[in-house]
Short mmCIF file of all heavy atoms in Angstrom, two decimals:
data_model
loop_
_atom_site.label_atom_id
_atom_site.label_comp_id
_atom_site.label_asym_id
_atom_site.label_seq_id
_atom_site.Cartn_x
_atom_site.Cartn_y
_atom_site.Cartn_z
N ILE A 3 0.57 5.52 0.64
CA ILE A 3 -0.26 6.66 1.05
C ILE A 3 0.40 7.94 0.57
O ILE A 3 1.60 8.11 0.69
CB ILE A 3 -0.45 6.69 2.60
CG1 ILE A 3 -1.47 7.75 3.02
CG2 ILE A 3 0.85 6.91 3.33
CD1 ILE A 3 -2.87 7.23 3.06
N TYR A 4 -0.41 8.81 -0.02
CA TYR A 4 0.05 10.15 -0.37
C TYR A 4 -0.27 11.04 0.82
O TYR A 4 -1.43 11.16 1.23
CB TYR A 4 -0.65 10.64 -1.64
CG TYR A 4 -0.23 9.84 -2.86
CD1 TYR A 4 -0.88 8.66 -3.20
CD2 TYR A 4 0.84 10.26 -3.65
CE1 TYR A 4 -0.49 7.92 -4.31
CE2 TYR A 4 1.23 9.52 -4.76
CZ TYR A 4 0.56 8.35 -5.09
OH TYR A 4 0.95 7.63 -6.18
N HIS A 5 0.76 11.65 1.33
CA HIS A 5 0.71 12.21 2.69
C HIS A 5 1.16 13.67 2.71
O HIS A 5 2.07 14.05 1.97
CB HIS A 5 1.66 11.35 3.54
CG HIS A 5 1.95 11.86 4.91
ND1 HIS A 5 0.98 12.05 5.86
CD2 HIS A 5 3.12 12.21 5.51
CE1 HIS A 5 1.54 12.49 6.98
NE2 HIS A 5 2.83 12.60 6.79
N VAL A 6 0.51 14.43 3.58
CA VAL A 6 1.01 15.76 3.95
C VAL A 6 1.11 15.75 5.47
O VAL A 6 0.17 15.31 6.15
CB VAL A 6 0.04 16.88 3.50
CG1 VAL A 6 0.51 18.24 4.02
CG2 VAL A 6 -0.08 16.92 1.98
N LYS A 7 2.24 16.18 5.97
CA LYS A 7 2.46 16.13 7.43
C LYS A 7 1.31 16.80 8.19
O LYS A 7 0.84 17.88 7.82
CB LYS A 7 3.78 16.85 7.75
CG LYS A 7 4.29 16.62 9.16
CD LYS A 7 5.65 17.29 9.32
CE LYS A 7 6.06 17.37 10.77
NZ LYS A 7 6.74 16.25 11.29
N GLY A 8 0.85 16.09 9.22
CA GLY A 8 -0.17 16.69 10.10
C GLY A 8 -1.59 16.62 9.56
O GLY A 8 -2.48 17.29 10.10
N THR A 9 -1.82 15.86 8.50
CA THR A 9 -3.18 15.78 7.94
C THR A 9 -3.78 14.39 8.20
O THR A 9 -3.16 13.54 8.85
CB THR A 9 -3.18 16.07 6.43
OG1 THR A 9 -2.51 14.99 5.77
CG2 THR A 9 -2.50 17.39 6.11
N ARG A 10 -4.95 14.16 7.62
CA ARG A 10 -5.68 12.92 7.91
C ARG A 10 -4.96 11.65 7.49
O ARG A 10 -5.36 10.56 7.90
CB ARG A 10 -7.05 12.97 7.23
CG ARG A 10 -8.06 13.87 7.92
CD ARG A 10 -9.23 14.09 6.99
NE ARG A 10 -10.33 14.84 7.56
CZ ARG A 10 -10.33 16.17 7.68
NH1 ARG A 10 -9.28 16.89 7.33
NH2 ARG A 10 -11.40 16.79 8.17
N SER A 11 -3.92 11.75 6.69
CA SER A 11 -3.14 10.54 6.36
C SER A 11 -2.56 9.93 7.63
O SER A 11 -2.21 8.74 7.67
CB SER A 11 -2.05 10.85 5.33
OG SER A 11 -1.66 12.19 5.36
N ILE A 12 -2.47 10.75 8.67
CA ILE A 12 -2.02 10.25 9.98
C ILE A 12 -2.82 9.01 10.39
O ILE A 12 -2.26 8.06 10.95
CB ILE A 12 -2.19 11.37 11.03
CG1 ILE A 12 -0.99 12.30 10.93
CG2 ILE A 12 -2.36 10.82 12.44
CD1 ILE A 12 -1.00 13.41 11.95
N ARG A 13 -4.11 9.01 10.10
CA ARG A 13 -4.94 7.86 10.51
C ARG A 13 -4.44 6.56 9.89
O ARG A 13 -4.38 5.52 10.55
CB ARG A 13 -6.40 8.10 10.10
CG ARG A 13 -7.09 9.18 10.91
CD ARG A 13 -8.48 9.46 10.38
NE ARG A 13 -9.23 10.37 11.24
CZ ARG A 13 -10.15 11.22 10.81
NH1 ARG A 13 -10.45 11.28 9.51
NH2 ARG A 13 -10.80 12.00 11.64
N VAL A 14 -4.09 6.63 8.61
CA VAL A 14 -3.68 5.42 7.89
C VAL A 14 -2.28 4.98 8.34
O VAL A 14 -2.02 3.78 8.56
CB VAL A 14 -3.73 5.67 6.37
CG1 VAL A 14 -3.15 4.51 5.60
CG2 VAL A 14 -5.17 5.94 5.95
N ILE A 15 -1.39 5.95 8.49
CA ILE A 15 -0.02 5.61 8.92
C ILE A 15 -0.06 5.01 10.33
O ILE A 15 0.59 3.99 10.61
CB ILE A 15 0.87 6.88 8.87
CG1 ILE A 15 0.93 7.40 7.43
CG2 ILE A 15 2.26 6.57 9.40
CD1 ILE A 15 1.57 8.79 7.30
N TRP A 16 -0.84 5.59 11.18
CA TRP A 16 -0.98 5.11 12.57
C TRP A 16 -1.57 3.70 12.57
O TRP A 16 -1.05 2.79 13.22
CB TRP A 16 -1.87 6.10 13.33
CG TRP A 16 -2.09 5.84 14.78
CD1 TRP A 16 -1.58 4.81 15.54
CD2 TRP A 16 -2.87 6.64 15.67
NE1 TRP A 16 -2.02 4.92 16.83
CE2 TRP A 16 -2.81 6.04 16.94
CE3 TRP A 16 -3.62 7.79 15.51
CZ2 TRP A 16 -3.48 6.57 18.04
CZ3 TRP A 16 -4.28 8.32 16.61
CH2 TRP A 16 -4.20 7.72 17.86
N LEU A 17 -2.66 3.51 11.81
CA LEU A 17 -3.29 2.19 11.76
C LEU A 17 -2.30 1.12 11.26
O LEU A 17 -2.21 0.03 11.85
CB LEU A 17 -4.51 2.24 10.83
CG LEU A 17 -5.21 0.89 10.61
CD1 LEU A 17 -5.85 0.39 11.91
CD2 LEU A 17 -6.28 1.01 9.51
N CYS A 18 -1.57 1.43 10.20
CA CYS A 18 -0.62 0.44 9.67
C CYS A 18 0.46 0.13 10.69
O CYS A 18 0.91 -1.01 10.81
CB CYS A 18 -0.01 0.95 8.35
SG CYS A 18 -1.19 0.83 6.99
N HIS A 19 0.86 1.14 11.45
CA HIS A 19 1.85 0.90 12.50
C HIS A 19 1.27 -0.04 13.57
O HIS A 19 1.93 -0.99 13.99
CB HIS A 19 2.28 2.22 13.12
CG HIS A 19 3.44 2.08 14.06
ND1 HIS A 19 4.75 2.12 13.64
CD2 HIS A 19 3.47 1.84 15.39
CE1 HIS A 19 5.55 1.93 14.67
NE2 HIS A 19 4.80 1.77 15.76
N GLU A 20 0.03 0.20 13.97
CA GLU A 20 -0.61 -0.65 14.99
C GLU A 20 -0.72 -2.09 14.49
O GLU A 20 -0.61 -3.04 15.26
CB GLU A 20 -2.01 -0.13 15.34
CG GLU A 20 -2.07 1.24 16.00
CD GLU A 20 -1.78 1.22 17.50
OE1 GLU A 20 -1.70 0.12 18.08
OE2 GLU A 20 -1.63 2.33 18.08
N LEU A 21 -0.99 -2.26 13.20
CA LEU A 21 -1.20 -3.60 12.63
C LEU A 21 0.10 -4.20 12.08
O LEU A 21 0.09 -5.32 11.54
CB LEU A 21 -2.24 -3.55 11.50
CG LEU A 21 -3.67 -3.22 11.92
CD1 LEU A 21 -4.56 -3.03 10.67
CD2 LEU A 21 -4.27 -4.30 12.82
N ASN A 22 1.19 -3.43 12.19
CA ASN A 22 2.47 -3.91 11.68
C ASN A 22 2.44 -4.20 10.18
O ASN A 22 2.96 -5.21 9.72
CB ASN A 22 2.89 -5.16 12.47
CG ASN A 22 4.38 -5.28 12.56
OD1 ASN A 22 5.09 -4.33 12.23
ND2 ASN A 22 4.87 -6.44 12.96
N LEU A 23 1.79 -3.33 9.43
CA LEU A 23 1.66 -3.51 7.99
C LEU A 23 2.64 -2.58 7.27
O LEU A 23 2.78 -1.42 7.65
CB LEU A 23 0.25 -3.16 7.52
CG LEU A 23 -0.89 -4.05 8.01
CD1 LEU A 23 -2.23 -3.43 7.61
CD2 LEU A 23 -0.76 -5.44 7.42
N PRO A 24 3.29 -3.09 6.22
CA PRO A 24 4.17 -2.20 5.45
C PRO A 24 3.37 -1.15 4.69
O PRO A 24 2.30 -1.45 4.16
CB PRO A 24 4.89 -3.15 4.47
CG PRO A 24 4.04 -4.36 4.40
CD PRO A 24 3.25 -4.45 5.67
#
Side-chain angles (χ1 to χ4, degrees):
I3 188 89
Y4 293 86
H5 171 60
V6 174
K7 193 175 166 87
T9 68
R10 285 166 175 80
S11 25
I12 278 182
R13 289 175 173 149
V14 172
I15 299 169
W16 183 0
L17 176 66
C18 285
H19 189 87
E20 296 279 351
L21 293 173
N22 210 12
L23 294 172

